[in-house]
Amino acid sequence: MKYIKTLLIILGALLLSCYLPDLYEYLFLHTQRPSFVLYSEVAQTFVQTRMENEKLLRETVDGKRQFTENEFDSILPTFYVRQLAADGKLPDTLLGKAISMPLIRNTNFTHRFDPTGLNRKPPHAYQLLESAPARVGLSPAEDLFVFRGKDILFFNSKTHDIDEAKSKLFQKAFDRVQITGDIVRAVGDGNARKEYDEGYLLLDEAGHLFHFKQVKGRPYLVQIKTDKLPSPILHMDLCGFADREKLAYVQTTDGALYMLSNHAYKFLKLDLPPIDHRHDEWMAIGNMFYTTYHIARGSQVDFVAVETETGRRVADYTEIFPASISEKTEAILFPFRLTFTNDADPQVYPRWEWGSPYSLLVALLCVIIYVIWRGRHLGRKRIAAHVLFIFIAGIYGWITLMLLSSKPSYKSTLIHHHKETR
């Protein structure tokens, strides 16, 4: 019985370390949302919208100039193109270029990167759409393909029967290129609900990059030269923009970000601060002139504006979110936290998140309260073990001991006191 209670106390502390921080955050923490920031091609500066006292403000990021709703639309003509066109206020030229609503809609783009896409395990099978369908619109593929080392294998998705003819046809294309080792990463979008399909970008063990798609039932496989990249490729993201010349974002191990063009397969390095691709989230909102990058890293968001065609940085701005009193209290109150998932990694397994070293002070306070409350009723060995457990488990250990460690009866207390006084 004694060992069962000890096991229950340990399990209780582990359960509290998993759920008590979540309860605290639900009750006391409020998410701080960054302002919506864009680089204005008219004002040539960052402008933002934010809430203050339940009022929506439209202003420059330094707060020196505020705008009405109509003024804000006019300084972001490519973003509010539909509203300006409806009001008859869309200009004919912008920064010396003739513009129109179709042109703006074709060159506008938005892309979001979530590190879970990089950290998750790759799927076992892929769907390859027809990139040049005979009719308008894409249709879901009836088969799937898998990689077996350097080989590619197609099979029917319903019957699982191997398509020998198609497998041999596509295998010939793979035999003609220099693939080293296995395909370690295949990035694409097999969803047919889009305007066009560019297949997949493939990365082999040696870091060679390939563009692979299906055109009129035949394989298209081209190796993309990466010898001019200073660091190995870490990840790729196909864009799927209306402007088909922008094929993919390519991330390298040195924290750089590149835009890979279609057909010519040229890498355009973007003048951004180094990005921790495995942990940082980022979003790009671009037009034919400038692209604004929102890079979320920990307690701050970096906003960087670059020229869309050259990648040259024109402005940057950082919004910092200082830790609130509730967040600081959480780090001190809880010495550690048991989690099974996080925002950057979709894999489910136990992992620890550590709090502040000042949580030892909370543990010391818990020890003092516990000794005063229960110390008179417990033996020296038992109280020493409980004190050690509280110092290790912090407030989790204190709560479980207060709830599960039984208080001795009045009779046993008298016997224990009699033995000590003899």
Side-chain angles (χ1 to χ4, degrees), residues 187-418:
V187 177
D189 182 9
N191 184 6
R193 300 180 63 180
K194 53 187 178 182
E195 294 184 3
Y196 65 95
D197 180 69
E198 283 294 344
Y200 292 83
L201 287 178
L202 309 179
L203 192 69
D204 68 10
E205 288 183 348
H208 300 142
L209 185 65
F210 303 89
H211 186 197
F212 170 53
K213 60 183 177 179
Q214 180 178 222
V215 182
K216 296 182 179 180
R218 301 189 63 83
Y220 173 93
L221 184 61
V222 176
Q223 182 174 353
I224 301 172
K225 293 183 179 180
T226 59
D227 53 308
K228 293 184 179 180
L229 295 180
S231 298
I233 293 175
L234 181 65
H235 187 62
M236 310 84 68
D237 253 357
L238 282 175
C239 296
F241 298 154
D243 180 5
R244 300 191 182 190
E245 190 54 34
K246 295 178 175 62
L247 177 62
Y249 279 105
V250 176
Q251 303 159 346
T252 53
T253 55
D254 60 353
L257 184 65
Y258 296 82
M259 172 63 76
L260 176 63
S261 65
N262 205 347
H263 303 111
Y265 298 120
K266 292 183 178 180
F267 290 92
L268 174 66
K269 185 176 182 181
L270 305 172
D271 188 8
L272 302 174
I275 301 174
D276 184 353
H277 297 300
R278 293 196 178 276
H279 298 92
D280 297 345
E281 298 180 19
W282 56 267
M283 180 176 66
I285 303 177
N287 53 57
M288 68 176 76
F289 302 105
Y290 302 103
T291 304
T292 304
Y293 288 88
H294 301 197
I295 307 171
R297 51 177 102 242
S299 60
Q300 70 180 51
V301 178
D302 294 334
F303 301 97
V304 183
V306 302
E307 292 179 346
T308 300
E309 296 302 321
T310 65
R312 184 180 68 88
R313 187 187 308 193
V314 294
D316 54 69
Y317 165 72
T318 299
E319 187 171 358
I320 299 176
F321 301 97
S324 64
I325 295 177
S326 299
E327 291 174 322
K328 293 178 180 178
T329 303
E330 181 185 20
I332 296 174
L333 195 59
F334 304 121
F336 57 85
R337 181 176 186 173
L338 175 61
T339 62
F340 292 88
T341 60
N342 62 26
D343 295 336
D345 187 351
Q347 306 304 320
V348 178
Y349 62 87
R351 65 193 88 195
W352 300 98
E353 296 178 3
W354 303 102
S356 168
Y358 291 107
S359 59
L360 289 174
L361 297 178
V362 176
L364 178 60
L365 179 61
C366 291
V367 165
I368 294 173
I369 295 174
Y370 185 78
V371 170
I372 294 175
W373 188 262
R374 294 286 179 87
R376 294 175 300 167
H377 312 296
L378 302 175
R380 292 181 180 179
K381 290 184 179 180
R382 192 176 178 188
I383 194 67
H386 287 188
V387 167
L388 178 62
F389 182 67
I390 293 175
F391 267 116
I392 294 175
I395 193 172
Y396 310 127
W398 177 72
I399 293 175
T400 52
L401 286 173
M402 293 295 287
L403 293 176
L404 300 179
S405 178
S406 59
K407 185 177 179 180
S409 63
Y410 177 72
K411 182 178 179 180
S412 62
T413 303
L414 288 178
I415 294 174
H416 174 72
H417 179 70
H418 177 69

Side-chain angles (χ1 to χ4, degrees), residues 40 60 62 67 89 122 170 206 250 334 339 378:
S40 168
T60 56
D62 57 13
F67 306 93
K89 297 180 180 179
F170 279 72
V250 176
F334 304 121
T339 62
L378 302 175

